Amino acid sequence: MDIYLLEAVINGLLLGGVLALLALGLNLIFGVIDVVWIAYADLVMCGMYAVYWLHVAGWPLWAASLAAIAGVAVLGVLVHVLIIAPVLRAPPINQLLATGGLLFFLQSFTTLLFGTDFRNIGVRLPIIEMGDIFISFARLLAFGFALVGAVALYVFLKRTYLGVAIRAISQDREIMGLMGVDQRRIYLVTSLIGGALAGLGGCLLVLQYDVHPFLGNTFGPLIFMICVLGGLGNMIGGFVASFIISQIISIGGYYYSTEWAYVLAFTLFIVLMFIRPRGILAR
Amino acid sequence: MLSLAAVSAGYGSFRALFDVSLDVEAGEAVGVIGPNGAGKTTMMRVISGLVPMDAGAMTFDGRSLDGLSAHRIVERGIAHVPENRRLFPRLTVEDNLRIGAFIPQARAKIAERMAWVYDLFPRLKERREQLAGTLSGGEQQMCAIGRALMSGPKLLLMDEPSAGLAPLVVQQVFDLVRRIRAEGLTVLIVEQNVQQVLEVVDRAYLLEVGRIHLAGSSAELKNNDLIRRSYMGL
Ligand SMILES: Nc1ncnc2c1ncn2[C@@H]1O[C@H](COP(=O)(O)OP(=O)(O)O)[C@@H](O)[C@H]1O
Ligand SMILES: [Mg+2]
């Protein structure tokens, strides 16, 4: 096999891990709260800026990352309290407009604060050589931490009372109160976790990409497409779809160009939506 | 133990309950019977805090329940087996039971309660890893009752537990109600199966078009002409 192709496949796999993490976060929020956070990737962007600025201010990377995760988790709670909660019973179009408004707000606000410069955190991580294959350590690290995040979420959902309630709530929202569950609290915890996952995603992406206010415009549609492809709210579907899409982008990018790969991915998405409108793993 | 005084409630501008007064003493089993659409489910939902009360007062163990949200009412010691069971179909039987023990005071006792519920319903133990949606109707009812028991309630509300079940299974459900009483729980049960419910409760109320029309001991109601004609087909 062509070693450049192999390298593309490996890079696709590594990218898939980070996308899968973000898809988990978005799906979690949609599954529980029944609102799509269109601005999810923009929270990731905020996390990237947080790591960037704290690192520039002299914090070690690990501390900057932990602070960014905590900060975006709190931001997630604020998004819920200030923007989602007031429109919880509004028609879906209003909810979409509210989170869409947040997207423009975050993009404009970060532009106002930091300008439109592309900023690189400047952490130089080694390139690993395996035979003739080169793998970026930053990507490997991102993949590893994304998996750790996904496993931690899985254990939380399986083993804790809040986790069981989070899995139950999308199956029968109305009777959660009869189980002694305060829905509002579940929504807050979910927003906190969703925010933390976006923050973690930001920490992982800032090692590989420059940060700028419109970064969400690249990743946002991608994550949203992955979630729809896997079936909105279906975490396993989103996980699988992440790796399919990342392979298309990576392998397509190898044969043609990244732009063509995106065109291919979105075309496939549209076609699949005709064939399997409720997601590839629809029940 | 539970007392409703002139409770009115409804949905938006539609009123489903008018001046409903009802009492349940500790250790009793009380039935509420009445035709479809009478407001029986609404009354149960008002007690559980799912539907707000428009007027009247509710107390439980001498303390007011007015304005409490549903999860607080569970913490006070009232568990509700809802109409149509409403299990979480894509959770396992055991996870359905676990979520029944969500309130803090129940979490501390989950192992012991789980053992108790499995002891009451050995069938659930056999099927603990199965998804609740794949259970038979009778097993689902056991699971729904078991889930409610997991919170460690003093009062159990049951909304038409025998509905939609085969006759043989209906008999089993009423046997279950007897066993739950024997465990020392107080029960308020809504039923359309009038003949059978009057065999397990001490007293019953007749609810029609949102109002209490009749109340009495099971023996009295079994001999009441109106009940015999309209609800027992005799
Ligand atoms: N969610 C609801 N919204 C509006 N009206 C309702 C709702 N639920 C029940 N009703 C109405 O309230 C009345 C009482 O219903 P319900 O309490 O379900 O009666 P029952 O349990 O005795 O069959 C009926 O007229 C029913 O149509
Ligand atoms: Mg009913």
Side-chain angles (χ1 to χ4, degrees):
Chain A
M1 191 166 149
D2 181 348
I3 57 157
Y4 295 110
L5 179 61
L6 186 61
E7 212 174 278
V9 169
I10 292 173
N11 279 327
L13 185 72
L14 299 184
L15 172 68
V18 180
L19 293 179
L21 180 77
L22 297 176
L24 279 179
L26 190 57
N27 266 331
L28 174 74
I29 291 167
F30 177 79
V32 172
I33 307 176
D34 209 19
V35 174
V36 179
W37 282 19
I38 288 295
Y40 195 62
D42 301 276
L43 293 182
V44 175
M45 176 268 291
C46 294
M48 290 172 76
Y49 268 119
V51 180
Y52 173 84
W53 284 115
L54 289 173
H55 190 64
V56 166
W59 291 39
L61 198 58
W62 64 268
S65 299
L66 286 182
I69 293 170
V72 181
V74 171
L75 192 59
V77 172
L78 288 178
V79 167
H80 182 77
V81 172
L82 299 177
I83 298 171
I84 307 295
V87 293
L88 216 45
R89 284 190 181 74
I93 183 72
N94 296 28
Q95 300 175 338
L96 209 64
L97 290 173
T99 60
L102 174 67
L103 180 152
F104 293 117
F105 171 80
L106 290 175
Q107 294 191 356
S108 320
F109 197 64
T110 44
T111 304
L112 187 72
L113 289 177
F114 313 129
T116 53
D117 302 348
F118 282 50
R119 293 169 192 273
N120 191 296
I121 193 162
V123 176
R124 295 280 157 260
L125 292 167
I127 303 284
I128 297 171
E129 246 182 283
M130 289 198 325
D132 291 328
I133 300 171
F134 294 91
I135 301 165
S136 125
F137 185 66
R139 289 187 185 181
L140 209 58
L141 201 68
F143 181 78
F145 274 101
L147 281 196
V148 169
V151 169
L153 180 65
Y154 177 84
V155 171
F156 170 78
L157 291 177
K158 273 282 179 210
R159 296 256 177 272
T160 66
Y161 286 96
L162 279 170
V164 183
I166 282 173
R167 286 187 286 136
I169 200 165
S170 63
Q171 299 178 32
D172 197 332
R173 213 163 284 281
E174 208 199 353
I175 64 155
M176 292 312 286
L178 299 185
M179 306 294 113
V181 176
D182 182 0
Q183 265 195 43
R184 286 169 312 174
R185 200 172 129 229
I186 298 294
Y187 288 174
L188 288 178
V189 171
T190 302
S191 302
L192 185 85
I193 296 172
L197 293 175
L200 176 59
C203 299
L204 304 179
L205 289 177
V206 79
L207 297 177
Q208 306 173 39
Y209 299 91
D210 293 349
V211 57
H212 57 93
F214 305 104
L215 186 111
N217 292 350
T218 320
F219 282 98
L222 207 56
I223 301 163
F224 182 64
M225 173 176 76
I226 285 168
C227 290
V228 175
L229 209 55
L232 259 179
N234 183 338
M235 299 213 204
I236 296 170
F239 202 81
V240 173
S242 301
F243 289 98
I244 296 175
I245 292 297
S246 65
Q247 284 306 337
I248 292 173
I249 290 173
S250 195
I251 297 175
Y254 164 65
Y255 278 117
Y256 306 102
S257 67
T258 312
E259 288 70 29
W260 269 110
Y262 274 88
V263 172
L264 187 69
F266 281 98
T267 309
L268 180 86
F269 168 68
I270 294 168
V271 171
L272 275 174
M273 280 301 97
F274 283 116
I275 308 172
R276 303 214 54 131
R278 306 192 54 204
I280 45 176
L281 294 187
R283 272 177 281 265
Chain B
M1 178 182 236
L2 175 75
S3 159
L4 274 64
V7 166
S8 296
Y11 304 92
S13 60
F14 174 78
R15 188 161 264 208
L17 291 179
F18 303 85
D19 293 332
V20 169
S21 296
L22 169 147
D23 287 285
V24 180
E25 299 305 328
E28 265 191 324
V30 173
V32 176
I33 58 178
N36 259 328
K40 306 182 297 296
T41 295
T42 304
M43 187 192 84
M44 297 295 244
R45 293 162 62 86
V46 169
I47 298 170
S48 285
L50 291 180
V51 170
M53 200 166 48
D54 294 333
M58 270 193 306
T59 58
F60 181 65
D61 271 349
R63 291 163 72 194
S64 170
L65 293 180
D66 303 1
L68 284 191
S69 43
H71 67 278
R72 295 274 175 236
I73 290 180
V74 179
E75 288 172 5
R76 288 283 185 89
I78 301 180
H80 185 153
V81 185
E83 194 171 28
N84 303 321
R85 312 182 251 289
R86 306 279 289 265
L87 293 176
F88 300 104
R90 296 191 299 283
L91 293 188
T92 61
V93 168
E94 188 138 317
D95 276 344
N96 269 277
L97 296 181
R98 275 217 284 166
I99 201 164
F102 188 86
I103 56 172
Q105 70 241 42
R107 289 184 196 187
K109 294 194 176 149
I110 184 159
E112 150 194 344
R113 290 243 171 85
M114 193 85 83
W116 174 51
V117 167
Y118 282 148
D119 202 44
L120 276 172
F121 310 114
R123 278 298 271 282
L124 292 185
K125 188 168 189 176
E126 289 166 28
R127 307 201 180 268
R128 63 210 277 181
E129 295 302 332
Q130 216 170 304
L131 296 186
T134 66
L135 298 177
S136 73
E139 289 163 351
Q140 288 196 15
Q141 193 56 260
M142 292 177 195
C143 189
I145 295 171
R147 184 179 65 177
L149 294 178
M150 290 299 292
S151 69
K154 293 180 230 165
L155 171 65
L156 189 66
L157 309 178
M158 302 173 91
D159 194 346
E160 301 213 31
S162 78
L165 299 179
L168 200 66
V169 186
V170 169
Q171 201 47 57
Q172 290 169 0
V173 166
F174 284 108
D175 289 340
L176 283 180
V177 177
R178 282 197 188 87
R179 276 165 63 198
I180 286 162
R181 286 202 67 184
E183 296 287 323
L185 266 87
T186 308
V187 178
L188 178 63
I189 178 170
V190 159
E191 260 300 336
Q192 301 228 33
N193 234 317
V194 174
Q195 203 148 10
Q196 274 159 306
V197 78
L198 288 181
E199 297 299 326
V200 298
V201 296
D202 305 307
R203 296 186 296 115
Y205 294 83
L206 170 64
L207 190 68
E208 281 183 341
V209 229
R211 290 173 201 278
I212 300 280
H213 272 255
L214 206 61
S217 71
S218 299
E220 283 164 16
L221 292 182
K222 271 188 266 187
N223 293 316
N224 180 290
D225 278 343
L226 171 72
I227 300 265
R228 286 170 70 87
R229 245 184 296 115
S230 309
Y231 295 98
M232 294 165 59
L234 298 174

